Amino acid sequence: MSKFKFCTSFLLILFIFGCGQNPFTGKSTLALVPNSQIIPMSFQQYNQVLEESKVIKEGDQAQMIQRVGLKIANASERWLIENGYPNYTDDYKWEFNLIDDDQVNAWAMPGGKVAFYTGILPIAENEAGVAAIMGHEVAHALANHGQQRMSAGQIQQTVGAVGTIALGNQDQQTQELFTTAYGIGSQIGVMLPFSRNHETEADKIGIKLMAIAGYNPDEAAKLWKRMKESSGGAGPPQFLSTHPSNDERINNLQNWSAEAKAEAAKFGVTSFQN
């Protein structure tokens, strides 16, 4: 078997057997790297970030981050159990920390490790705003977006290697042109849209989780209006960005709010905290 045929066969095997399922969407997902490998690495990296950062352990803000995080995590557990996934988060160890840093940022790592930066709190404005951010970040962890991105990166590298092998008999200039074109094309045409889809997916899952946790999902769109104002509307063109545009995000969240309230009602939640 030629190297080219071997690589394409190997790639096909990856696609066939390297799949999982997102319980919130029912969609098949890339899962070439198992969570049994990813989650321990995630915990280690998270602890390293905490060691290198100024973590706020006491005070109203730190308590709020803990409170909101646990409510969102509990809401996700309720949803998963109700929908037939009682053991989905057995390997998760939820942790929510507030880091003293001016970055307007929050993030989650596989396995339920979440960090908030103090710089985002003024834009969050209230506890429901924090819940909108928290729901989004928890959704990333639950939907295994980290696993999917790592898996997509592996496929991107493999496809690039297959192309290089296929052009092995071509002159060096042709090979270099392919490498450059493939790198740009796969990033803009595949990897960035893949990442934007994850952001949109996390928004849609997150707004439901915040509603089930008792927070007003109307606040999610308001949060992103404040995000847009804080950035002055600046940002790269959407096709060059890892995130959807602010306006698209706001419109989506406004449209999904009623659906989130209906989902929360299934769990007996009919009044919401702003």
Side-chain angles (χ1 to χ4, degrees):
M1 180 183 290
S2 69
K3 289 183 179 179
F4 176 72
K5 288 182 178 179
F6 173 79
C7 287
T8 52
S9 299
F10 176 68
L11 187 61
L12 181 62
I13 291 170
L14 288 181
F15 273 114
I16 293 174
F17 294 102
C19 289
Q21 186 180 47
N22 183 333
F24 295 93
T25 65
K27 296 178 181 178
S28 295
T29 61
L30 288 172
L32 304 182
V33 186
N35 273 334
S36 60
Q37 179 180 340
I38 294 173
I39 289 179
M41 290 192 301
S42 167
F43 291 174
Q44 184 178 3
Q45 291 173 3
Y46 185 77
N47 289 334
Q48 183 176 345
V49 171
L50 296 185
E51 290 173 4
E52 296 171 354
S53 304
K54 184 179 179 181
V55 180
I56 301 175
K57 294 290 188 180
E58 305 294 337
D60 292 343
Q61 290 183 331
Q63 291 175 9
M64 177 179 62
I65 296 301
Q66 293 280 343
R67 178 172 64 251
V68 175
L70 289 173
K71 288 176 73 173
I72 296 290
N74 288 337
S76 71
E77 300 285 358
R78 292 177 65 193
W79 190 96
L80 288 164
I81 291 170
E82 181 66 23
N83 287 275
Y85 298 91
N87 306 115
Y88 186 81
T89 58
D90 282 356
D91 295 328
Y92 283 52
K93 294 183 180 178
W94 295 107
E95 191 171 350
F96 310 93
N97 280 289
L98 178 62
I99 295 174
D100 188 3
D101 194 296
D102 290 337
Q103 291 184 57
V104 180
N105 197 17
W107 46 266
M109 299 187 77
K113 302 298 186 180
V114 181
F116 260 70
Y117 292 84
T118 53
I120 204 171
L121 293 181
I123 300 172
E125 196 172 275
N126 53 42
E127 190 162 321
V130 170
I133 300 168
M134 187 72 75
H136 175 91
E137 298 304 337
V138 166
H140 274 310
L142 290 169
N144 287 323
H145 286 160
Q147 179 188 56
Q148 292 177 55
R149 291 179 188 182
M150 289 181 68
S151 299
Q154 285 193 351
I155 290 176
Q156 184 184 32
Q157 292 175 1
T158 302
V159 172
V162 170
T164 300
I165 292 170
L167 295 173
N169 296 326
Q170 301 295 319
D171 59 78
Q172 184 175 354
Q173 183 179 9
T174 300
Q175 293 184 41
E176 289 176 352
L177 283 172
F178 166 78
T179 301
T180 301
Y182 174 74
I184 295 173
S186 63
Q187 186 68 11
I188 294 176
V190 180
M191 297 301 286
L192 291 180
F194 190 65
S195 185
R196 288 196 296 272
N197 287 338
H198 284 171
E199 294 301 319
T200 300
E201 193 171 88
D203 280 346
K204 190 168 188 178
I205 297 169
I207 195 173
K208 290 182 180 180
L209 295 181
M210 72 178 290
I212 296 170
Y215 294 103
N216 189 349
D218 294 340
E219 291 295 315
K222 294 177 183 178
L223 164 75
W224 278 100
K225 288 179 181 178
R226 294 193 293 272
M227 288 282 195
K228 180 180 177 180
E229 291 169 0
S230 72
S231 65
Q238 187 171 352
F239 77 96
L240 290 175
S241 173
T242 60
H243 290 61
S245 69
N246 288 323
D247 289 336
E248 179 184 350
R249 207 162 205 165
I250 291 165
N251 289 335
N252 284 341
L253 291 167
Q254 288 173 333
N255 292 333
W256 293 332
S257 184
E259 183 181 341
K261 290 177 182 177
E263 190 71 18
K266 297 177 184 178
F267 296 85
V269 181
T270 55
S271 60
F272 302 97
Q273 177 181 343
N274 289 322

